Amino acid sequence: EEDGRISTEIRSEKYTAENADRFLDFNFINGKSSYWKGFDEINVTAGIQGKIGAHFALGAFDKYVKAFETGVMFDAFYRNIPIMVATDEVSNKPFFIKLYINAHLGIRSNN
């Protein structure tokens, strides 16, 4: 506070253990950072992916393709992947399970 005026500083701030109290307090959040903020910190982590599913085609010889696929996907990494800030309720894990549905619509061509 200077001369009876309150000064405010708006900046992008990365989460650390030292700033956790302020970082997780919604009263201190004023918008978002640039889309490109943090791209220079991206790194590659080795892992493995598996997928099991079932494909259902309706009218296999019709002019129009109508089919869908549904299943489960599994990704596993050798270390935890830091996607969210870890708290007592949320922890980062080295694996992810996803359910999926794919729809296939189109026209068949014999060319």
Side-chain angles (χ1 to χ4, degrees):
E1 187 173 328
E2 295 176 17
D3 301 327
R5 296 177 295 180
I6 297 173
S7 62
T8 305
E9 178 185 359
I10 297 177
R11 67 180 186 276
S12 295
E13 188 170 345
K14 182 178 176 179
Y15 174 82
T16 63
E18 291 78 31
N19 72 358
D21 292 338
R22 288 184 58 128
F23 188 88
L24 299 173
D25 186 349
F26 289 110
N27 296 317
F28 288 104
I29 298 173
N30 187 12
K32 59 183 178 59
S33 291
S34 162
Y35 175 80
W36 302 107
K37 182 80 172 167
F39 266 67
D40 58 336
E41 299 176 28
I42 292 175
N43 57 34
V44 176
T45 301
I48 189 166
Q49 187 234 6
K51 173 177 160 179
I52 186 166
H55 182 85
F56 303 96
L58 309 171
F61 299 103
D62 291 350
K63 179 179 178 183
Y64 297 99
V65 176
K66 300 170 296 256
F68 70 95
E69 179 183 11
T70 185
V72 178
M73 293 176 69
F74 180 81
D75 295 324
F77 299 92
Y78 73 92
R79 65 177 177 88
N80 287 346
I81 304 299
I83 293 178
M84 301 292 288
V85 173
T87 64
D88 293 337
E89 297 83 29
V90 178
S91 63
N92 293 305
K93 306 233 183 293
F95 55 86
F96 303 93
I97 298 173
K98 301 171 286 264
L99 303 175
Y100 71 91
I101 296 176
N102 289 329
H104 306 266
L105 302 171
I107 298 175
R108 261 184 239 286
S109 175
N110 293 328
N111 293 338

